[in-house]
């Protein structure tokens, strides 16, 4: 697949970019390895922090430019693009400020004289998706550059200008060549980079298939891997949850980034037949009220999905669900206008024998369920191969905690559909992958926790 900008709002091909040559790729890997060995790892934390925090400042100074790339290339609403820029800058700042304390040697009280030191391991390869082009990178670049590692970044083929823009951040901030390198690499070239002995770890956010392929290749070469894969997050509505507010929250959870969010709400589970009917009615009306428009216009409430391929995939899943017995309560069709627009869609009567029951719907499509009690709600919530996030809505916070604790996921939210910030670890279980990003847990994924013990000399 070529690296090119196609405007999702119009379908217009804007610009194409050449893949890196094999010679260029070898030069990139060699430069990264050399700067790690001779420069970056040897710098003080304060020296690295100066560059990373300057990159955050540039993001804020040029927010209009950087947000524009997101809206142009993947169709994100302009307000959401600005939000992503701000969040990404906050993540870089967080690690620039916290790295010194994270890197302090830790004494082991039960073993006098024993210390645990946190050291970098070398060149890392990051493989990142298109749905959050800056945020996904910041989650990797912030902690790993601050710990002293260096990064080769292969971005998604449909956001090349965003990829280049993020690379310019570190160049403008004063990072030496090789500390952060964007590579427009093919799948075959990525495989060779994974196998290169100079590369010591791989992190990927993407599909299950991509994660399995990368994990297998990295494993054969004894490389550490972090995988952030798909999700089919449930939103459980308990009997006492305020109805209108919860419906509004469910729409936000499903429609964030036009539904193209791995930890967005995918399945809504309401306890009680009457409550379920009222909830569905309100949810369908709110979804139907979203109006398509130019994502660069702040009045637009429905943006396009990222590509023709993404749209066709969703239309195929909706048709498969329908053929297998599901009901389309609203939407389900392509919108008759230029670009890649899909009607906000709600599917009901999705039974266990429907293939969609265990699939991820990565777009403005929600599955809706009504159950009799909490036990059935949890059974349904956990009846998925994924385990990324989930949420519970209730007026009883203690009950909410108990229900959230029983959701099989890496994250659970009470009375909010989704939450992310630098201080909170992000990651899942089951087919949603393994490893964590953000917080101190993300800082520690690609490090050498080195034991040093000290004993007095013999007298």
């Amino acid at each position: 697949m070529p690296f090119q900008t196609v405007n999702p709002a119009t379908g217009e091909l804007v610009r194409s970019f050449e893949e890196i040559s094999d010679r260029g790729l070898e030069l990139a890997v060699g430069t990264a390895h050399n700067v790690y060995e001779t420069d970056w790892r040897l710098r003080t934390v304060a020296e690295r922090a100066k560059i990373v925090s300057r990159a955050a400042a540039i993001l804020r100074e040029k927010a209009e430019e950087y947000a524009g790339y997101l809206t142009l290339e993947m169709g994100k609403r302009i307000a959401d693009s600005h939000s992503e820029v701000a969040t990404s800058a906050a993540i870089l700042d967080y690690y620039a400020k916290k790295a010194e304390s994270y890197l302090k040697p830790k004494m082991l009280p039960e073993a006098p004289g024993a210390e645990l030191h946190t050291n970098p391991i070398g060149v890392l390869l990051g493989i990142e998706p298109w749905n959050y082009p800056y945020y996904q990178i910041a989650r990797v670049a912030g902690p790993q550059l601050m710990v002293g590692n260096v990064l080769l970044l292969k971005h998604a083929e449909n956001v090349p200008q965003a990829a280049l823009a993020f690379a310019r951040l570190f160049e403008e901030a004063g990072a030496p060549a090789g500390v952060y390198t964007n590579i427009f690499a093919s799948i075959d070239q990525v495989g060779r980079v994974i196998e290169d002995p100079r590369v010591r770890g791989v992190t990927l956010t993407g599909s299950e298939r991509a994660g399995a392929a990368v994990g297998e290749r990295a494993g054969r070469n004894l490389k550490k891997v972090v995988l952030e894969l798909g999700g089919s997050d449930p939103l459980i509505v308990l009997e006492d949850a305020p109805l209108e507010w919860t419906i509004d929250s469910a729409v936000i959870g499903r429609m964030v980034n036009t539904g193209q969010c791995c930890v967005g709400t995918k399945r809504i589970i309401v306890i009680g037949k009457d409550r379920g009917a009222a909830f569905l009615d309100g949810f369908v009306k709110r979804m139907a009220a979203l109006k398509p428009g130019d994502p660069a216009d702040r009045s637009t409430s429905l943006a396009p999905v990222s590509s023709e391929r993404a749209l066709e995939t969703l239309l195929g899943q909706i048709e498969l669900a329908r053929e297998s017995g599901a009901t389309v309560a609203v939407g389900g069709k392509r919108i008759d206008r230029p670009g890649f627009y899909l009607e906000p869609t709600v599917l009901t009567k999705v039974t266990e024998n429907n293939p969609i029951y265990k699939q991820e719907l990565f777009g403005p499509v929600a599955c809706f369920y009504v159950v009799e009690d909490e036990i059935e709600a949890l059974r349904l919530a956990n009846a998925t191969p994924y385990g990324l996030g989930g949420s519970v809505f209730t007026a009883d916070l203690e009950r909410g905690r108990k229900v959230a604790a029983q959701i099989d996921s890496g994250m659970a939210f009470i009375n909010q559909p989704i939450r992310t910030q630098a201080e909170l670890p992000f990651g899942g279980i089951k087919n949603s992958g393994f490893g964590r990003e953000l917080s101190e847990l993300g800082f520690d994924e690609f490090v050498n926790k080195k034991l040093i013990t000290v004993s007095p000399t013999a007298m």
Side-chain angles (χ1 to χ4, degrees):
M1 183 176 176
F3 287 82
Q4 56 186 25
T5 301
V6 176
N7 186 342
T10 64
E12 174 193 5
L13 173 61
V14 177
R15 190 175 175 187
S16 297
F17 297 82
E18 292 186 2
E19 289 183 352
I20 193 170
S21 66
D22 288 345
R23 181 178 180 183
L25 186 60
E26 170 58 31
L27 177 61
V29 176
T31 301
H33 183 254
N34 181 66
V35 77
Y36 169 74
E37 291 287 352
T38 65
D39 183 344
W40 193 248
R41 69 183 297 188
L42 305 177
R43 295 196 180 203
T44 65
V45 178
E47 288 172 329
R48 294 197 290 263
K50 183 177 180 181
I51 291 172
V52 173
S53 61
R54 178 58 188 146
I58 293 169
L59 259 182
R60 295 188 179 98
E61 291 164 7
K62 299 183 177 181
E64 197 70 34
E65 174 191 348
Y66 276 83
Y69 294 129
L70 302 183
T71 296
L72 170 65
E73 292 198 302
M74 62 80 52
K76 195 185 297 284
R77 294 191 309 152
I78 191 64
D80 296 333
S81 295
H82 277 277
S83 178
E84 181 176 344
V85 169
T87 300
S88 302
I91 291 170
L92 296 180
D93 268 340
Y94 171 82
Y95 285 108
K97 294 173 182 176
K98 297 292 288 186
E100 186 171 5
S101 64
Y102 288 163
L103 286 168
K104 283 182 179 179
K106 293 178 173 58
M107 303 298 110
L108 303 181
E110 295 181 353
E115 305 170 354
L116 203 58
H117 290 242
T118 301
N119 296 331
I121 61 173
V123 181
L124 305 178
L125 172 64
I127 304 169
E128 299 300 335
W130 47 262
N131 59 331
Y132 288 94
Y134 302 147
Y135 165 71
Q136 302 281 5
I137 302 177
R139 297 192 324 195
V140 177
Q144 300 315 322
L145 296 189
M146 281 309 306
V147 82
N149 294 319
V150 301
L151 186 61
L152 297 167
L153 199 290
K154 187 272 176 190
H155 220 317
E157 292 85 350
N158 60 333
V159 290
Q161 294 190 61
L164 292 171
F166 210 86
R168 288 197 301 272
L169 278 180
F170 295 101
E171 181 181 353
E172 292 180 34
V179 167
Y180 180 99
T181 308
N182 178 74
I183 53 173
F184 287 152
S186 67
I187 292 176
D188 182 62
Q189 288 174 320
V190 166
R192 297 203 300 272
V193 173
I194 294 172
E195 293 177 346
D196 193 303
R198 294 168 292 184
V199 174
R200 297 312 313 154
V202 186
T203 180
L204 173 140
T205 298
S207 67
E208 288 177 82
R209 184 173 69 174
V214 167
E216 179 185 7
R217 198 153 192 171
R220 289 201 306 265
N221 290 274
L222 301 179
K223 306 289 179 71
K224 172 70 182 291
V225 180
V226 168
L227 299 176
E228 300 286 359
L229 308 178
S232 188
D233 291 10
L235 185 152
I236 298 175
V237 183
L238 300 183
E239 301 91 329
D240 62 350
L243 189 65
E244 297 300 319
W245 172 69
T246 305
I247 294 172
D248 289 338
S249 298
V251 173
I252 293 170
R254 175 61 295 209
M255 293 304 296
V256 62
N257 207 33
T258 319
Q260 299 165 122
C261 177
C262 53
V263 75
T265 298
K266 308 286 197 330
R267 297 174 297 137
I268 298 167
I269 304 168
V270 182
I271 297 177
K273 184 177 179 180
D274 291 340
R275 290 260 296 174
F279 197 107
L280 179 61
D281 180 66
F283 186 66
V284 163
K285 287 178 179 176
R286 286 164 172 78
M287 292 284 275
L290 299 173
K291 300 300 182 184
D294 181 354
D297 184 341
R298 287 184 176 270
S299 67
T300 292
S301 56
L302 178 66
V305 296
S306 65
S307 67
E308 182 80 40
R309 184 172 67 174
L311 177 58
E312 291 298 332
T313 296
L314 286 164
L315 289 169
Q317 288 179 300
I318 293 167
E319 185 57 31
L320 177 61
R322 194 196 325 254
E323 291 174 351
S324 302
T327 296
V328 179
V330 68
K333 299 178 182 178
R334 182 173 189 160
I335 297 174
D336 185 16
R337 59 174 292 150
F340 314 129
Y341 289 83
L342 176 67
E343 294 176 339
T345 303
V346 179
L347 301 175
T348 64
K349 300 179 182 178
V350 180
T351 60
E352 292 184 31
N353 60 1
N354 194 313
I356 300 302
Y357 188 79
K358 292 188 176 181
Q359 291 184 16
E360 178 181 26
L361 291 157
F362 208 66
V365 185
C367 291
F368 186 88
Y369 302 88
V370 177
V371 296
E372 292 184 0
D373 54 31
E374 179 184 308
I375 293 174
E376 179 63 12
L378 282 165
R379 187 200 68 78
L380 180 56
N382 292 331
T384 171
Y386 298 104
L388 189 55
S391 53
V392 180
F393 279 74
T394 177
D396 184 340
L397 298 185
E398 188 55 36
R399 184 186 177 195
R401 289 187 180 94
K402 292 178 181 178
V403 174
Q406 297 176 73
I407 298 175
D408 296 337
S409 63
M411 301 171 283
F413 312 100
I414 299 171
N415 291 333
Q416 53 191 333
I418 181 174
R419 184 180 177 189
T420 184
Q421 62 190 68
E423 297 83 357
L424 301 177
F426 187 103
I429 60 172
K430 300 195 290 189
N431 288 17
S432 290
F434 46 79
R436 292 294 182 267
E437 293 179 335
L438 301 178
S439 79
E440 188 172 5
L441 297 186
F443 190 82
D444 281 347
E445 285 290 358
F446 293 102
V447 298
N448 173 20
K449 288 291 189 179
K450 184 175 182 177
L451 173 67
I452 295 178
T453 61
V454 180
S455 298
T457 57
M459 301 299 292

